[in-house]
Amino acid sequence: MTDKAKQAASSKGLLQSEDLYRYILETSVYPREPEPLKKIRDVTADHPWAMMGTAPDAGQLMAMLLRLVNAKKTIEIGVFTGYSLLLTALTIPEDGQITAIDVNLETYEIGLPIIKKAGVDHKINFIESEALSVLDQLLKDSENEGSFDYAFVDADKDNYCNYHERLMKLLKVGGIAVYDNTLWGGTVAVPEEQVPDHFRGSNRQTILDLNRSLADDPRVQLSHVALGDGITICRRIF
């Protein structure tokens, strides 16, 4: 792993101590991280938006969730360079299928050679598009309703609530949706006047609205986890 990749991955996230986060990564995460995922982090480290990549400790939990629900048919909204996408492809069965949606093919192509070398690109149907139109198209086919096992969302925050409504139709009962960035740098618990300028704006308010909405949603079992920038795990219960 390059020095830049180590530096990018060692951000303490929401923990109070950089040393504690490094301990978690070096003791429990890195020793079990598949080599292709390390390579994705390496090639992403020089990208100006490298911080958008999935945190490796969050990825480790997501891999466990995929195993727990025996996921085979999944959706990914927001791909970036493909860390979480590759993680999913490595975890699901050989005949599994991922519908991966992102508006930016260019960033996906950064990680694509590594995905191909890992031998899992046949599991991925990448669609370069805004996600809502793709989800709506999927829902036009009644056979897609309740057919997906798992979804991961790390895309435009303004549409998180819209994505959630559609995913509640596409996921099967017992299926899981994971939403990223739901603690927004910890600023969800900070008074508005104390929020740093780069965390202000519509995205923060959207995350606040989403968190309240998910907490009130009787259709899901909920866990809000302080990994990375915060992930919210929703298990559809009806």
Side-chain angles (χ1 to χ4, degrees):
M1 192 191 317
T2 66
D3 290 340
K4 283 190 176 181
K6 289 180 179 178
Q7 184 177 3
S10 67
S11 170
K12 67 181 181 179
L14 298 170
L15 293 176
Q16 293 181 351
S17 165
E18 188 85 39
D19 290 338
L20 179 57
Y21 188 50
R22 171 60 59 182
Y23 172 82
I24 292 170
L25 292 175
E26 294 184 348
T27 302
S28 302
V29 180
Y30 290 158
R32 290 175 172 261
E33 185 181 38
E35 192 62 30
L37 293 179
K38 297 181 192 294
K39 291 179 178 177
I40 286 271
R41 286 199 289 107
D42 281 346
V43 300
T44 304
D46 288 325
H47 196 282
W49 302 336
M51 73 292 295
M52 289 173 53
T54 302
D57 52 332
Q60 187 179 57
L61 175 60
M62 288 157 54
M64 183 179 291
L65 293 172
L66 286 159
R67 296 280 190 192
L68 286 171
V69 298
N70 295 313
K72 185 175 180 180
K73 186 179 181 183
T74 77
I75 300 176
E76 179 143 343
I77 303 173
V79 171
F80 191 40
T81 59
Y83 185 94
S84 56
L85 178 61
L86 176 55
L87 179 148
T88 301
L90 290 169
T91 305
I92 63 176
E94 185 64 21
D95 60 345
Q97 188 66 42
I98 307 165
T99 299
I101 313 163
D102 200 298
V103 295
N104 193 334
L105 175 62
E106 184 178 345
T107 52
Y108 170 57
E109 289 179 335
I110 293 173
L112 184 55
I114 298 168
I115 293 171
K116 288 182 175 180
K117 188 174 181 180
V120 293
D121 54 299
H122 64 283
K123 302 180 187 181
I124 299 167
N125 176 26
F126 179 85
I127 303 171
E128 186 181 13
S129 172
E130 299 284 351
L132 283 180
S133 60
V134 176
L135 298 179
D136 286 340
Q137 188 64 36
L138 287 171
L139 284 167
K140 288 181 179 180
D141 183 349
S142 60
E143 291 188 3
N144 285 323
E145 293 191 21
S147 69
F148 287 84
D149 304 297
Y150 175 90
F152 178 60
V153 182
D154 184 9
D156 52 317
K157 312 311 172 194
D158 287 345
N159 272 314
Y160 267 31
C161 287
N162 292 324
Y163 295 148
H164 182 68
E165 288 306 311
R166 288 156 175 80
L167 291 174
M168 286 301 98
K169 297 175 183 177
L170 290 167
L171 286 170
K172 62 178 58 175
V173 172
I176 287 176
V178 177
Y179 299 93
D180 201 10
N181 305 118
T182 55
L183 292 177
W184 206 241
T187 64
V188 291
V190 175
E192 177 69 29
E193 63 274 10
Q194 297 178 22
V195 175
D197 288 344
H198 61 284
F199 280 113
R200 295 191 180 197
S202 62
N203 281 339
R204 177 176 175 273
Q205 187 58 52
T206 296
I207 292 297
L208 289 167
D209 294 342
L210 172 77
N211 291 340
R212 283 191 290 267
S213 177
L214 294 180
D216 291 338
D217 190 343
R219 298 169 295 181
V220 299
Q221 180 183 8
L222 182 72
S223 180
H224 206 163
V225 185
L227 289 174
D229 192 27
I231 60 173
T232 301
I233 304 164
C234 298
R235 176 178 172 268
R236 184 185 173 193
I237 55 178
F238 68 81

